[in-house]
Amino acid sequence: MFACPEMSGPELTAKLLPVRPAMKVIYVSGYPDDIVAIHGSPGPDTVFLAKPFTIKLLAAKTEGSAGKNGV
């Protein structure tokens, strides 16, 4: 997990993806989904995990994210 007070998760992702295009991203936030929607979604393939979450849900999101684009 990574916290970055200097920029948002989508901003960090935009900087890292050109360097690591195969990188998979899961956004984790304590804000409800509707708050994220108001502030904008990084894209249609965005994987979002709302806090609090269980290990089982984290595993499911991780497996789902890894399966996208054949990776």
Side-chain angles (χ1 to χ4, degrees), residues 25-41:
V25 178
I26 298 176
Y27 294 98
V28 177
S29 178
Y31 295 104
D33 289 329
D34 60 341
I35 297 295
V36 173
I38 290 168
H39 293 289
S41 174

Side-chain angles (χ1 to χ4, degrees), residues 11-35:
E11 290 171 325
L12 179 61
T13 300
K15 289 180 182 268
L16 293 176
L17 279 176
V19 179
R20 308 239 357 179
M23 178 180 70
K24 303 298 178 189
V25 178
I26 298 176
Y27 294 98
V28 177
S29 178
Y31 295 104
D33 289 329
D34 60 341
I35 297 295

Side-chain angles (χ1 to χ4, degrees), residues 49-61:
L49 186 58
K51 295 181 198 174
F53 53 86
T54 63
I55 295 296
K56 185 176 180 177
L57 184 57
L58 175 61
K61 292 282 188 171

Side-chain angles (χ1 to χ4, degrees), residues 10 27 40-47:
Y27 294 98
S41 174
D45 291 332
T46 300
V47 177

